[in-house]
Amino acid sequence: MARLEHVNITVPDAQATAAFLTRLLDWHVRWEGNSLNGGYSVHVGETDSYLALYSPKSSVASAVPRYANSAGLNHVGIVVDDLDAVEARVRDLGFETHNHADYEPGRRFYFDGPDAVEYEMVCYD
């Protein structure tokens, strides 16, 4: 058996992205501190899985366009229990949702977060 424990992504401000995700998803910060090459990392998520958010000491380069860069991050998919409630929270935080889809085995929508990362929220009813 294998399971995904974490994904490490570069964001402009790891602490700001972690704060956003804790507000949106009720996640918690598991660890944070200085990391590779003078950067800063925050691990945010649940007990057994998380996102490792890394901000380098220097500014980050754009990863746009998505789906066109080798080893690029296209989006982060997160399973939620109540898709409608999470979408309301996303909108309350000032973000537009797009690409809604209802298909087997679940429903989903996407939004661009405050960190140039696209997030997919999915619910398996």
Side-chain angles (χ1 to χ4, degrees):
M1 179 180 132
R3 66 176 176 80
L4 184 64
E5 184 212 22
H6 77 273
V7 174
N8 187 317
I9 59 177
T10 298
V11 296
D13 184 337
Q15 290 176 310
T17 295
F20 169 75
L21 292 170
T22 58
R23 280 193 314 273
L24 178 64
L25 301 169
D26 296 324
W27 281 357
H28 67 275
V29 172
R30 298 166 37 111
W31 176 86
E32 69 178 292
N34 296 326
S35 58
L36 182 69
N37 298 324
Y40 196 82
S41 290
V42 181
H43 296 179
V44 61
E46 299 288 334
T47 303
D48 62 351
S49 65
Y50 61 97
L51 290 178
L53 307 169
Y54 172 76
S55 293
K57 187 175 183 178
S58 59
S59 61
V60 297
S62 173
V64 175
R66 290 187 189 106
Y67 300 93
N69 298 301
S70 178
L73 175 70
N74 296 320
H75 66 263
V76 174
I78 299 170
V79 178
V80 298
D81 291 330
D82 187 338
L83 192 66
D84 297 326
V86 170
E87 184 166 15
R89 289 166 91 177
V90 167
R91 289 184 174 157
D92 287 346
L93 290 168
F95 297 92
E96 296 293 322
T97 61
H98 61 273
N99 199 16
H100 294 76
D102 296 346
Y103 55 87
E104 288 299 324
R107 300 183 307 125
R108 62 200 70 232
F109 71 86
Y110 297 76
F111 71 97
D112 295 322
D115 46 22
V117 174
E118 181 181 57
Y119 293 91
E120 174 188 4
M121 300 289 122
V122 61
C123 180
Y124 298 110
D125 297 320

